[in-house]
Amino acid sequence: MHQINMNFINLIPLFPLLGAIFCFALRDKKPSILCGITASLMVFLSFVSSTASVFALSGAASPAGTETVIVSNNFTWISAGDLKIGCDLMFDRLSAVMLFVVTFVGFLIHIYSIGYMIHDKDSNRFFSYLNLFVFFMIILVTAKNLVLMFVGWEGVGLCSYLLISFWWSDPANAAAGRKAFITNRIGDFAFLSAIFILYWLYKSCGFETGFDFIKLAENFKALSAALPSSGFVVIVDLVCVLLFIGASGKSAQIPLYVWLPDAMAGPTPVSALIHAATMVTAGVYMCVRLGFLFAASALALKIIAFTGVLTAVFAAVIAMAQTDIKKVLAYSTVSQLGFMFIAVGCGAFTSAIFHLATHAFFKSLLFLGAGSVIHSLAGEQDIMKMGGLRKLIPGTFTTFFIGVYAISGLPLMSGFFSKDEILLYSFAGPHSSAIFYALATLASFLTSLYMHRLLFLVFYGSFRGDAKKYGHIHESPAIMTVPLYILAFFSIFSGFIVFFKSLNFKTLLASYQSAIAAANISHSSEYSVMGIALTAAFAGLIAAYKFYISSNDYLSKINNAFAAFIKIQENKFYIDELYDLIIISPLKSVSIFLHKIIDVKFIDDYIVGGTVRGFKYINSALSDAQSGRVQGYLSAMAAGLAVMTVYVLYNSIR
Amino acid sequence: MSKEELIIGLYSLAPLIIAGITAAIILVISAAGESRAGSGRLRAVNAAEKLSYLAFTAMAFISAVHFIKIKGPLTLFHNAVFFDHYSAAAGFIFSVMGIFTIFIAASEMKSESSRFQPEYYALLLSAAIGSLIMAMANDLLAAIVGIEILSFSTYILCALDNKNKRAVEGAFKYFLTGAAAGALFLFGLAHIYGGAQTTFISEIPSMAAVNVQGPGPGAPLLIGLVFITAALLFKAAAVPFHSWAPDAYDAATVSVAAFMTYFVKAAVFILIFRIFAAAFIFMASSITGVLSVIAVITMTLANIAALYQNNLKRMLAYSSISHTAYMLIAVICSAGVYKNAVADCGAYIIFYLVSYFFINAAIFSALAMLSPGENRVHTIEDLKGLGFKKPFFSASFSLALLALAGIPATSGFIAKFFIFYNAFLSNHHALVLLAVINSLIAFYYYIKIIMAMYMQKPESGETAVSFGNAGRESAICLAVSSALIIILGVYPEVIVKLAKLAVISSF
C-alpha cells in the first residue's frame, strides 16, 4: 500500500470540533440563527476539505497495482511499553465514501435543522452536540488505527445519548437515551474484548502494529503462517464474532436492536443524521474496514449473514404494524441495516458500502420528510391521524414519494441498484446461500409493502385527524424543503454511480475484497435476480395499494383472520417485555437485594455501623481510663512495666 | 585536662554555654520588681524575647558550624559526651525549634492582658540545655541529667499560668508521674552498671561481652534495658506511659503545648535512637517484640481516643502519642536485617522529627492565632464556618492537618512513607499493615476539623473565635511552616541526605 503524508486531512475533523466548541460556549445565550449557520458552515467546510482530499487522492501517482492512501501521522497518543498508538488519520477511498455521506448529508441536515429547531430555546446546545457528533463520526471513519476508531465510536455513542435525551425534562426521553447508551455498552464490551485479543494475537507473533489498519492488514498473512492453523482459525473466529457483536450494538441488529426505535425520542434531524444515515452504519463500516479479518472467518460471516437476514425480515414485520411515523422508519432502518450485514456476511463488502451510501440518502430524506410532516401537523406523529396530505404539502409529498420508491427498490432508483447487488451476492456470491437469498427477497417485498403502507396512510385517502388542525396544515419553510429536494435528487441518481466506470466503484475495496475469491457471476443469474427483486417490490406496492387504498375489505379480513398475530406484531413481538423479564427484572431484583439487604443492612448497619459502635465503645472506655487520677496513671505504668519485664525475661530464658 | 582539650571542650559546649548565660540574664531581668506587671512586664518580656532570639540564632549558627567542621565523632570530657554530626544536627534542630516556639508564643506573651512572666524564655533556654545534653550524652548519667533538666523546665512551663487551677493540676500530675519515670531510669541504669560494669553508651557492647557470662545478655542488662526503655517511652508518651500527655497538653498554653509536641519529642527520640543504636543493638532482638506491641497498642489506642475528642489540644495530644508509635517503628527497624538499617532508620527518624516539627508549628501557630477568650479551651466548634472567612488561615491549617494525616505532596506523607517502606523491607509486614490502618482511622479526626471549617456553620451564626490580638509572628510562622510542609513533601532529599550523613558518621 502506497502511503503519502498530507496533514491537510486534519482539517476535516477540525472544523466541526471548532463549531462544537463555539456553539457550546454560547449554550446559555439566547438562541439565534448564528449558531445554526456556524455549525452548518463548519460541516460544509469539512465537506469541502474532504472533497479536496478526494482530488488529492486521485491525483496522487501510485505505483501500479497498489492502492494509494493519504495519511497524517500526527503524534503518539498512547505509549505504554513497546505499544505505541498514534493519533493518526488516514484517507482512502473507503473513507472518502463515508466522509461524503457524513459531511454532505450532515451538512444538509444541519441546514434543515436551522428551520426545524429555530423555535427551541436550547438550539445552541443542539448545534453544539450535532457538530460534536460530526467531529466524532469523522474521527471514526478517518482513524488510522483501531483504538482511535474506538474513540470515535464511543464519541458518537456519547453524542447519540446526548441528543436522544436532548429534551431531557421528559423522563421518557431520558430513559430512551439511557437505553441506547446501556445497550451499546454491551456491544462495546465485546468490541473492546476483540481489541484486546487482537493485541495479544499480533503481539504473540512478534508484530508491533500499534493497531494501525494498514499494518494489521499487511501482517495478517504472516500471522496466519506463524500460528498453528486450527488455533489461528479459532482465535480469528472469536475476534470476528466479538467485533460483530460490537457492530450489532451500534448498528442495531438482533438482539441489540431494541434501543433504536426508542431513540426516536430525539429531535427528528437527529434521527435522520445519527439514527439513520451515519452512526448506525458505523458497525457496517467497521466490519468492512476490518474486512481482511472477516474474510478469514467463514463462521463469523455465516453468523453475520444469518443475523442480518433475520433482522431484515423481523424488523420489516414489526414495521408493518407500527402507527408512529418515526417508529416505522426506525424499524425500516433496522431492517435496511440487516441488508447491509447480509452483504457483509456474503462477502460483498463493496455492496454493503454501496447500500450504506444510498440508504443514507433516501433514509435521511424519509426522516426529514417525516419531520416536515410532523412539523406541519404541529407535532402529530400518529399516521392513523394523518391522510390526504398529498395536496396540502406537495413539496414534502414529492420528495417523500421519491424516498419511498428508492427504499422499495423500484426500478432506476438508487435503492434498486444497491439492493439488487446484495440480493445478487446472497444468491451467487462467494458465501451465498439459498436461505439467505429467499429471506432477503422476502424482506425486500416486506419493505416495499410497509413503505407504501406508510405513504398511502399519510398522503392518500382523507384526513383522519382533528378537523381543527386541518386548516393549519402548511408546507414547511424553504430552509427545510430545499435539503429535501437535494436529498431526493441523490436518492434517485446516486445508484447510477455504478455505471460510471471511471469512478471505479466496483473495486472500491479491491485490496480488502481480494481476500475473498471473486465469484464468477453469470449474466443469467444477474437478470433473474433482478427480475425477482422487481417482482417482489411491485408485489409489495400492489399489496399495499389493495390494502390501504382500493378497499378496506382485504385489510379487515386479514385483520380478523390474524388478529392475534397482529396484536403481537403491534407490540413488537414483546421483545422489550421479554428482555425486561429475563434480563432487566432479575437484575433489578438482584440490585434491590444488594441495596436493601447487603448494603443497607449488612454493610452499612453491621460492618460500618458496627465498626463505628465498636470504636465509640473503646473510645468511651479510654475516656474513663483517662480519669485524672494520678494513682491510676501510675498503676497503669507499673502494670505495663511488669508485663514488659516478664515478657523480656521469659523470652530470654526460652 | 590539657589546654587543647579545654578549648575543644568549650567549642563543643558553646551552644549550651550561650543558652545558660542568656537564661541567667533573663532571670535577672525578670527578678527586677517592676518587671512583674503592666508596662514593666511588657518591656521585660520584649527584652527577654530579643535575647532568646539572639541566643537561639547563635546556637543554630554554631551548631551548623559544628556540623560542617567536624571531621569525625569525638568523645570529650573523659568520654562523658559525644561531639559528632549527630549531636550537631540535633543542636541545630533544637535551636530552630526554639525560634519557632518564640514566634508561636509571641501573641500570648506580648498581649497587654497576659500574666506570663519573662522567665518563660529562660525556661525555654534551659530546656534547650537539657536537650543538648541528651543529644551529646555518652555517659547515661549525663543523659539522665539532661532528661531531668528538660523535664523540670517543661513542668514549670506547663504550670506557667499559675492562676489557672487546671494548668497547675495538669503540670503537677506531669511532675508526679515524671518523677516516677526518672526513678525508673536510674533503677535501670543501676542494673546496666551491674551487668556491664559501665555507664558509657559507647562501651556497653564491648564491656557486656567481657563481663556477662553464659548465653544471652543476662538478667541485669535485660532488666536495665527494660526500665530505661520504659522511662524513655514515658517521655515520648507511649501507651501505657502516656497518661500524663492529654492532661499536660490541656494544661499548657498553646506555645508550650507546641513545644512539648515537637521539642520534647525530638529530644527524647534523638536520645532513644542513640541509646538503642549505639549501646543496645546487640540485644535488640530481646526488646523489639515488646516495642512492636507497644507501638501497635500506642497508635491504636491513641487514634481511637482522639476520634471523638472535641477539645483540640487533647486531640492533638493523642495525635502526638500516635506519631510516637510511628517513630517507634523506625527505632525497631534500625535493628533490621538489611544493610544500612541503622543509617536509614536514623535518617528517617530525623526526617520525621523535622517534618513533624513544621507540621505542628503550623498547627499550633494557627491555634495561637485563635483567641477563644480567657480560660477557654479550643474546641472544634470554635472553628466552624472559618473556612471561607479566613481563607489563608484555613487553607494553611487544613494543609497542616492533611500533613498530619499523611496525605501525599505533604512532608507528613513522605515521612510516614519512609518509615513504613523501611519497616516493609525489614519484614515487619504486620506492623506496616496495622500502621496503615491506623493512619486511616486517624484521617477521620483530622478531616473532621477541616469539615468543621469549610462545611459547617456556627450555631450562633457568628464564628466563636476572634482574631483580635493575633500576632503577626504567628501568621508568619504559619506561612513559613506551611511552605516548608509542601517543600519537604515534594523535595525531601536534602534533609534525608544530611540526616544520613549525620547518622553514618556518628554510629
Side-chain angles (χ1 to χ4, degrees):
Chain A
M1 204 164 284
H2 181 61
Q3 300 187 26
I4 45 177
N5 212 323
M6 270 190 208
N7 292 332
F8 173 73
I9 58 172
N10 286 327
L11 286 178
I12 306 172
L14 186 67
F15 286 120
L17 180 63
L18 292 177
I21 293 169
F22 175 78
C23 295
F24 194 71
L26 295 180
R27 69 193 181 283
D28 291 331
K29 298 273 178 298
K30 208 167 154 298
S32 69
I33 202 159
L34 175 71
C35 273
I37 289 176
T38 313
S40 313
L41 182 69
M42 287 300 161
V43 180
F44 183 71
L45 285 176
S46 162
F47 168 65
V48 170
S49 358
S50 63
T51 313
S53 308
V54 171
F55 285 113
L57 184 66
S58 57
S62 66
T66 57
E67 165 129 19
T68 309
V69 182
I70 299 178
V71 297
S72 171
N73 296 320
N74 295 326
F75 57 88
T76 304
W77 170 42
I78 294 174
S79 174
D82 46 8
L83 173 68
K84 291 213 171 14
I85 299 171
C87 188
D88 305 333
L89 303 184
M90 70 188 274
F91 187 94
D92 62 357
R93 291 194 292 161
L94 176 58
S95 324
V97 175
M98 291 302 292
L99 277 178
F100 179 73
V101 171
V102 172
T103 54
F104 183 65
V105 176
F107 169 63
L108 292 176
I109 293 174
H110 271 71
I111 295 285
Y112 176 93
S113 304
I114 298 176
Y116 193 85
M117 297 298 288
I118 188 83
H119 306 300
D120 197 284
K121 64 180 170 48
D122 277 333
S123 74
N124 292 356
R125 186 162 63 92
F126 177 80
F127 281 108
S128 162
Y129 292 166
L130 214 55
N131 256 6
L132 189 67
F133 167 77
V134 173
F135 164 73
F136 277 124
M137 193 67 204
I138 292 173
I139 292 290
L140 199 165
V141 298
T142 57
K144 189 158 173 274
N145 59 60
L146 195 53
V147 178
L148 189 60
M149 181 188 184
F150 189 71
V151 172
W153 184 274
E154 289 299 307
V156 291
L158 167 72
C159 294
S160 159
Y161 166 75
L162 290 173
L163 285 163
I164 292 170
S165 41
F166 180 72
W167 290 311
W168 47 265
S169 48
D170 181 352
N173 294 348
R178 206 162 56 229
K179 186 171 178 183
F181 206 73
I182 292 171
T183 315
N184 267 297
R185 285 274 80 66
I186 300 169
D188 293 342
F189 172 68
F191 191 0
L192 264 182
S193 311
I195 291 178
F196 296 150
I197 296 173
L198 212 54
Y199 174 73
W200 171 77
L201 177 67
Y202 276 80
K203 177 85 179 164
S204 64
C205 298
F207 290 110
E208 283 312 325
T209 55
F211 293 108
D212 188 314
F213 289 122
I214 299 168
K215 282 191 202 153
L216 285 176
E218 276 171 356
N219 292 334
F220 190 68
K221 272 220 168 61
L223 195 67
S224 59
L227 281 170
S229 61
S230 58
F232 177 73
V233 168
V234 171
I235 295 169
V236 172
D237 280 348
L238 179 65
V239 169
C240 289
V241 169
L242 285 173
L243 283 173
F244 173 63
I245 294 174
S248 65
K250 191 112 307 190
S251 292
Q253 296 298 293
I254 290 173
L256 299 179
Y257 72 91
V258 286
W259 65 271
L260 187 58
D262 286 23
M264 297 303 131
T268 305
V270 170
S271 311
L273 178 61
I274 301 183
H275 304 120
T278 55
M279 185 190 82
V280 289
T281 62
V284 180
Y285 167 77
M286 186 258 275
C287 289
V288 174
R289 178 57 86 192
L290 294 169
F292 60 93
L293 275 179
F294 285 95
S297 170
L299 175 71
L301 288 181
K302 269 216 173 59
I303 291 174
I304 293 172
F306 185 70
T307 313
V309 92
L310 213 60
T311 310
V313 174
F314 188 69
V317 172
I318 296 177
M320 288 225 294
Q322 294 304 305
T323 54
D324 182 321
I325 184 167
K326 285 179 74 180
K327 286 270 162 74
V328 176
L329 291 175
Y331 279 105
S332 158
T333 306
V334 175
S335 169
Q336 294 302 308
L337 288 166
F339 268 104
M340 296 174 209
F341 278 109
I342 297 171
V344 171
C346 295
F349 297 141
T350 313
S351 314
I353 294 295
F354 186 23
H355 194 57
L356 187 160
T358 57
H359 173 257
F361 290 117
F362 56 66
K363 186 49 66 63
S364 52
L365 167 63
L366 287 169
F367 263 114
L368 294 186
S372 178
V373 169
I374 295 166
H375 190 77
S376 57
L377 289 175
E380 182 58 64
Q381 299 199 7
D382 190 346
I383 53 176
M384 290 310 166
K385 293 183 182 158
M386 297 177 186
L389 300 179
R390 177 166 90 241
K391 298 271 165 46
L392 295 162
I393 44 174
T396 307
F397 165 66
T398 316
T399 52
F400 200 88
F401 184 84
I402 292 169
V404 168
Y405 270 60
I407 193 174
S408 306
L410 290 168
L412 303 182
M413 307 295 259
S414 61
F416 164 73
F417 291 106
S418 56
K419 202 177 281 180
D420 187 47
E421 286 253 315
I422 294 173
L423 291 173
L424 180 60
Y425 273 92
S426 68
F427 179 70
H431 292 271
S432 60
S433 147
I435 299 170
F436 295 161
Y437 172 70
L439 285 174
T441 310
L442 173 64
S444 179
F445 161 72
L446 290 172
T447 307
S448 175
L449 177 56
Y450 70 74
M451 284 315 296
H452 282 100
R453 165 181 174 265
L454 181 64
L455 181 72
F456 295 151
L457 284 177
V458 174
F459 291 100
Y460 290 81
S462 54
F463 188 68
R464 295 178 296 275
D466 193 345
K468 265 185 271 175
K469 271 190 179 170
Y470 190 76
H472 295 291
I473 297 171
H474 58 92
E475 180 63 292
S476 301
I479 199 162
M480 288 166 69
T481 49
V482 169
L484 290 179
Y485 289 122
I486 299 174
L487 283 170
F489 174 83
F490 278 93
S491 299
I492 302 172
F493 294 106
S494 62
F496 289 100
I497 197 169
V498 288
F499 294 115
F500 294 99
K501 286 279 187 284
S502 61
L503 284 176
N504 222 355
F505 195 84
K506 283 239 166 190
T507 59
L508 172 71
L509 307 153
S511 49
Y512 299 113
Q513 273 201 311
S514 62
I516 294 181
N520 203 2
I521 299 172
S522 63
H523 279 290
S524 60
S525 52
E526 249 183 73
Y527 289 128
S528 49
V529 165
M530 195 187 291
I532 293 170
L534 282 178
T535 315
F538 276 113
L541 164 62
I542 291 163
Y545 182 79
K546 283 277 180 215
F547 292 161
Y548 299 103
I549 291 197
S550 72
S551 86
N552 285 335
D553 285 359
Y554 291 100
L555 190 60
S556 52
K557 267 184 202 154
I558 289 176
N559 279 348
N560 291 338
F562 297 100
F565 179 75
I566 285 167
K567 180 99 173 58
I568 295 172
Q569 196 187 7
E570 275 173 355
N571 286 297
K572 303 167 275 185
F573 291 89
Y574 297 102
I575 294 292
D576 278 332
E577 286 77 1
L578 181 71
Y579 283 4
D580 192 68
L581 188 71
I582 62 173
I583 298 172
I584 299 168
S585 298
L587 268 181
K588 265 192 182 156
S589 349
V590 171
S591 160
I592 288 170
F593 172 76
L594 287 178
H595 171 64
K596 290 250 167 79
I597 307 296
I598 301 292
D599 191 40
V600 173
K601 257 251 146 31
F602 188 68
I603 295 181
D604 275 0
D605 210 38
Y606 293 152
I607 297 188
V608 178
T611 311
V612 171
R613 282 192 292 273
F615 275 118
K616 275 209 165 125
Y617 181 75
I618 302 172
N619 179 270
S620 67
L622 287 174
S623 302
D624 294 347
Q626 193 73 30
S627 59
R629 287 176 63 246
V630 182
Q631 294 94 319
Y633 298 174
L634 288 171
S635 316
M637 278 171 69
L641 186 64
V643 172
M644 272 170 79
T645 315
V646 170
Y647 178 85
V648 168
L649 288 178
Y650 175 75
N651 255 358
S652 76
I653 58 167
R654 199 172 46 166
Chain B
M1 190 186 272
S2 72
K3 201 177 163 195
E4 286 79 34
E5 274 180 344
L6 186 67
I7 290 173
I8 194 157
L10 287 176
Y11 171 61
S12 68
L13 293 184
L16 279 89
I17 296 165
I18 293 174
I21 293 173
T22 318
I25 297 173
I26 292 171
L27 284 178
V28 169
I29 293 175
S30 61
E34 74 259 28
S35 303
R36 306 312 296 178
S39 61
R41 187 199 71 88
L42 214 53
R43 266 201 308 281
V45 163
N46 271 326
E49 191 197 21
K50 296 274 158 9
L51 276 173
S52 46
Y53 269 140
L54 268 178
F56 276 122
T57 315
M59 287 159 69
F61 178 74
I62 294 170
S63 301
V65 172
H66 283 169
F67 191 84
I68 296 163
K69 292 284 180 188
I70 299 171
K71 293 286 181 290
L74 291 173
T75 49
L76 301 171
F77 302 106
H78 304 286
N79 278 356
V81 300
F82 286 110
F83 181 47
D84 53 14
H85 281 108
Y86 188 70
S87 68
F92 183 77
I93 293 171
F94 296 148
S95 311
V96 178
M97 286 174 171
I99 296 171
F100 272 71
T101 311
I102 298 171
F103 263 91
I104 298 171
S107 61
E108 61 193 30
M109 293 300 294
K110 294 204 282 187
S111 71
E112 297 284 339
S113 59
S114 172
R115 296 190 302 270
F116 299 129
Q117 300 301 323
E119 287 101 334
Y120 179 89
Y121 299 101
L123 289 165
L124 274 188
L125 286 162
S126 71
I129 293 172
S131 318
L132 281 164
I133 295 175
M134 286 161 76
M136 294 176 83
N138 184 19
D139 193 337
L140 286 172
L141 279 168
I144 184 69
V145 172
I147 292 174
E148 289 306 327
I149 295 177
L150 173 63
S151 301
F152 273 86
S153 311
T154 318
Y155 304 148
I156 304 171
L157 280 172
C158 276
L160 201 63
D161 190 3
N162 55 16
K163 296 279 186 320
N164 182 351
K165 272 173 84 179
R166 283 167 63 94
V168 177
E169 185 193 332
F172 193 69
K173 282 180 195 159
Y174 184 20
F175 169 66
L176 276 180
T177 46
L184 293 182
F185 192 95
L186 285 169
F187 186 74
L189 184 53
H191 276 79
I192 286 170
Y193 188 74
Q197 310 286 313
T198 180
T199 54
F200 289 118
I201 290 173
S202 58
E203 288 172 4
I204 286 174
S206 54
M207 293 293 279
V210 175
N211 289 315
V212 176
Q213 268 89 43
L221 271 184
L222 279 174
I223 292 175
L225 179 59
V226 167
F227 275 72
I228 284 190
T229 309
L232 291 170
L233 288 179
F234 172 87
K235 297 294 173 194
V239 178
F241 313 107
H242 70 291
S243 324
W244 60 273
D247 291 341
Y249 275 63
D250 202 14
T253 64
V254 171
S255 69
V256 174
F259 169 81
M260 287 199 287
T261 16
Y262 52 75
F263 199 107
V264 176
K265 186 146 292 177
V268 171
F269 266 96
I270 296 265
L271 180 63
I272 288 181
F273 184 71
R274 168 92 82 182
I275 293 178
F276 194 75
F280 291 105
I281 199 106
F282 71 97
M283 46 196 285
S285 58
S286 44
I287 194 89
T288 44
V290 163
L291 285 182
S292 306
V293 174
I294 287 181
V296 170
I297 293 177
T298 301
M299 60 177 107
T300 311
L301 290 192
N303 281 328
I304 294 175
L307 277 183
Y308 301 105
Q309 195 55 254
N310 198 27
N311 178 337
L312 277 175
K313 272 196 293 191
R314 283 188 99 85
M315 176 193 282
L316 288 167
Y318 284 117
S319 151
S320 142
I321 295 171
S322 74
H323 283 274
T324 293
Y326 300 138
M327 281 185 268
L328 217 47
I329 293 175
V331 174
I332 294 163
C333 295
S334 62
V337 286
Y338 73 103
K339 228 178 80 192
N340 294 337
V342 169
D344 282 358
C345 291
Y348 296 152
I349 288 176
I350 293 176
F351 183 79
Y352 204 103
L353 289 170
V354 170
S355 140
Y356 190 63
F357 160 44
F358 289 128
I359 297 169
N360 278 297
I363 285 185
F364 282 98
S365 50
L367 287 191
M369 287 169 77
L370 303 171
S371 40
E374 283 294 292
N375 293 340
R376 267 207 54 211
V377 291
H378 293 87
T379 61
I380 293 180
E381 273 77 41
D382 292 344
L383 298 168
K384 280 185 182 169
L386 277 183
F388 299 103
K389 248 181 164 171
K390 294 275 172 187
F392 161 74
F393 168 85
S394 310
S396 311
F397 194 26
S398 307
L399 174 74
L401 288 166
L402 291 175
L404 268 190
I407 298 299
T410 63
S411 62
F413 168 75
I414 294 284
K416 257 188 198 164
F417 173 79
F418 282 146
I419 286 180
F420 292 178
Y421 182 65
N422 215 33
F424 195 81
L425 289 183
S426 313
N427 289 329
H428 291 295
H429 297 155
L431 208 50
V432 175
L433 183 67
L434 290 166
V436 169
I437 291 174
N438 262 287
S439 302
L440 191 74
I441 298 173
F443 193 72
Y444 172 80
Y445 57 86
Y446 296 129
I447 210 82
K448 207 165 76 170
I449 303 177
I450 299 177
M451 254 180 67
M453 285 197 289
Y454 284 97
M455 296 162 82
Q456 292 170 2
K457 292 260 177 301
E459 272 112 39
S460 59
E462 274 300 303
T463 42
V465 289
S466 66
F467 283 76
N469 43 10
R472 196 158 34 92
E473 287 91 342
S474 305
I476 293 171
C477 185
L478 179 58
V480 171
S481 309
S482 306
L484 282 164
I485 288 170
I486 295 282
I487 291 170
L488 287 190
V490 179
Y491 195 69
E493 277 308 297
V494 177
I495 304 276
V496 173
K497 266 192 188 140
L498 289 175
K500 266 189 190 155
L501 176 86
V503 178
I504 287 172
S505 87
S506 311
F507 288 88

